[in-house]
Structures are given as C-alpha cells and as structure tokens.
Amino acid sequence: MLKVISFTICPFVQRITAMLEAKNLPYQVEYISLSDKPQWFLEISPNGQVPVMITENGTALFESDAIAEYLEDAYPALQEGLSAEQKALNRAWSYLGTKNYLPQCGAQSSKDGQTLKERTEKLTMAFAKVEKVLGEYRFFNSDTLSMVDLAWLPLLHRAQIIREKSGYDFLAGYPKVQAWQEALLETGLAEKTVSKDFLEKFSDFYLSEKTFLGRCKNNCSCSALNLEERCQETGCCELGEASNMDIGTGCRC
Ligand SMILES: N[C@@H](CCC(=O)N[C@@H](CS)C(=O)NCC(=O)O)C(=O)O
C-alpha cells in the first residue's frame, strides 16, 4: 500500500493526500516530528522534508511536485486525454498554488497587522491572477477535479479556517476564487485530507495569542483591502505590536 510520511499541519502533505483521496487510492500515513526527525526518515528523504511517499514498489519519492505528478502518471488520470500543452498549463497553475504555501504560512504567523498586510501581498497577487481565469466551470478548468484544484486546496482550506475563526479574509475582493473555494470545500476533501487533530494543531500554531490573527477573534471582517480602515473604525483587532513574542514565519514549512 502507498504510504505518506507526514507532519500534521503541512500544506505540501495535504496536496498529496488530496491527490490520493481524489483518486480513491488506499494509503497509510505516518506522522513524524520535524523538530526531532527520526534517522530512518533522514535516510529516505534527501531534502529532509515531508512529504515523502513510499510507492507500491517500495521506492521513497520526495518533493511534492514530483509525487503529485507521479500519482497522476502512475494511476488513472484525473483528467483523461489532455494534450502536452494542457498538462504543462495544469502543472504551471499547480506550481503557482504551491509556491504560495509558505507565504500563507508566513502571513498567518504575523504578529501584527502591518506584518500581516505585507506578508499577504504575494498571496493576494496569486489570487488576483487566478481570479482572472476562473468562472467557466465548477472547479479550476473543469466540472471535475484536476491536479490544479488539489494543489490550491490547502491554500483555500486554510483561508476558510482563518475567516471562520478570526474574521480575516485572504480572499476578499476575489468572488470567483471564493466560489471555487466553496465548490472545493463542498467535496468534503478538506477534512478527509488532514488528521483528526488538524484544526487544534493549526489553531495552536496560527491562532494563538502570539499571532495577530489569533488575537483578531471578533468576527471583524478584515482583509488586506481594509485592514487599517476597518480596524481603526471598529477597534476590532489590535493593529500594533500587541506582543513582543515573534514566532516569525515558521511553520517549519
Ligand atoms: N519543496 C518541498 C517543500 C516541503 C516542505 O517545506 N515541507 C516542510 C513541512 S510543511 C518540512 O518538511 N520542513 C522541515 C524542514 O525543512 O526541515 C516539497 O514541495 O515537498
């Protein structure tokens, strides 16, 4: 059986479990601690990172892009009969999503409103690009799931949790991305692709008193578009340096 070596809140891992779930492939998950990586893991993971996926032949694959592409090639494709050009485009749009996992982790870790605003910029640019190409279908470029949907799922899932728990909306101003998020979340894939304690661990890390978003619990409807105006008007969140405990950008991602 396929096996994924994982870390609970890692978005790169969630992209791979999303591929496995979408293809109905049975798999096992083994969680490791990234602050105390086991020796057996270091021996099979050349970059020292999760995800690693052990294939049915016992080969350890690393780098989430390579693993996702392997799953698409080795098992019935999510979208049949794509041309080389369409495959390249799907990969490129997937990379645009995965390149924003770390910026999102960084933004979520911000200790004050100004840092959040700055760190959200790169992410916002990606949402603006994708907004322009969405709209014709239920999902990214089809009414059935593609690799691109699964690559963006971790970003959109995390954006939904942040909105629900803090009121801050990474997707404000992007109605088509919001509709795409809703369609993806309706599939139930978000819950299936993370561990049972995901929400707790995610909240402990990103929504504690150490983060701006953690302290922004008043359903304030803030976003990068209106952060200063909205917060100053309603006093809903502390904009300044409310804490000197900087947890940096780190989610170990
Ligand atoms: N380029 C890698 C990035 C994976 C990654 O950053 N994984 C993080 C967890 S989300 C990790 O293992 N961090 C531990 C470390 O870098 O030591 C991929 O796409 O698989």
Side-chain angles (χ1 to χ4, degrees):
M1 192 192 286
L2 296 164
K3 183 171 176 179
V4 180
I5 316 302
S6 175
F7 174 68
T8 326
I9 58 172
C10 177
F12 298 92
V13 172
Q14 189 181 12
R15 177 198 182 185
I16 298 308
T17 50
M19 290 283 298
L20 291 161
E21 289 287 343
K23 287 179 174 246
N24 285 318
L25 297 170
Y27 62 98
Q28 297 172 327
V29 180
E30 178 159 357
Y31 294 96
I32 60 162
S33 158
L34 291 178
S35 52
D36 184 21
K37 297 173 190 163
Q39 190 54 36
W40 62 262
F41 170 72
L42 293 171
E43 277 159 24
I44 61 169
S45 175
N47 61 6
Q49 296 182 318
V50 294
V52 164
M53 192 186 77
I54 317 289
T55 69
E56 287 173 291
N57 299 325
T59 305
L61 301 180
F62 64 105
E63 283 294 340
S64 57
D65 289 333
I67 300 171
E69 286 159 24
Y70 166 81
L71 288 171
E72 188 62 349
D73 290 344
Y75 296 92
L78 290 163
Q79 290 174 303
E80 296 289 351
L82 293 186
S83 66
E85 216 169 74
Q86 288 166 325
K87 278 188 193 167
L89 278 171
N90 269 2
R91 287 178 181 185
W93 280 103
S94 300
Y95 300 154
L96 187 67
T98 60
K99 281 201 182 92
N100 279 285
Y101 292 170
L102 295 185
Q104 189 182 40
C105 290
Q108 290 165 172
S109 305
S110 304
K111 66 171 181 168
D112 58 62
Q114 184 55 32
T115 310
L116 174 63
K117 199 171 163 67
E118 284 162 17
R119 290 182 179 171
T120 299
E121 259 167 41
K122 186 168 180 228
L123 200 53
T124 300
M125 272 161 55
F127 289 136
K129 296 282 176 205
V130 84
E131 175 79 9
K132 289 199 176 139
V133 298
L134 284 170
E136 216 178 319
Y137 302 99
R138 182 161 176 240
F139 298 118
F140 177 73
N141 58 8
S142 153
D143 288 325
T144 55
L145 290 168
S146 71
M147 285 184 75
V148 185
D149 296 295
L150 306 173
W152 285 71
L153 177 73
L155 291 173
L156 300 176
H157 181 202
R158 283 157 175 74
Q160 177 259 327
I161 297 172
I162 295 290
R163 186 179 59 222
E164 195 177 303
K165 302 276 177 197
S166 74
Y168 184 85
D169 194 357
F170 282 116
L171 306 184
Y174 303 111
K176 291 182 186 168
V177 185
Q178 287 171 352
W180 185 29
Q181 177 193 46
E182 205 177 311
L184 277 177
L185 296 177
E186 269 171 13
T187 65
L189 266 182
E191 292 77 22
K192 283 188 197 154
T193 50
V194 292
S195 65
K196 289 205 166 38
D197 59 354
F198 173 79
L199 198 53
E200 191 188 326
K201 295 253 168 71
F202 179 87
S203 302
D204 284 352
F205 203 94
Y206 294 113
L207 294 167
S208 74
E209 287 301 308
K210 294 181 189 174
T211 65
F212 176 78
L213 291 171
R215 297 189 301 275
C216 190
K217 287 177 187 138
N218 303 324
N219 199 17
C220 63
S221 319
C222 294
S223 73
L225 298 176
N226 67 4
L227 193 58
E228 281 97 354
E229 300 77 9
R230 172 90 190 147
C231 289
Q232 270 154 20
E233 197 181 297
T234 64
C236 56
C237 299
E238 282 176 273
L239 268 175
E241 304 261 332
S243 162
N244 57 11
M245 295 177 284
D246 189 0
I247 64 170
T249 61
C251 69
R252 300 199 151 267
C253 293

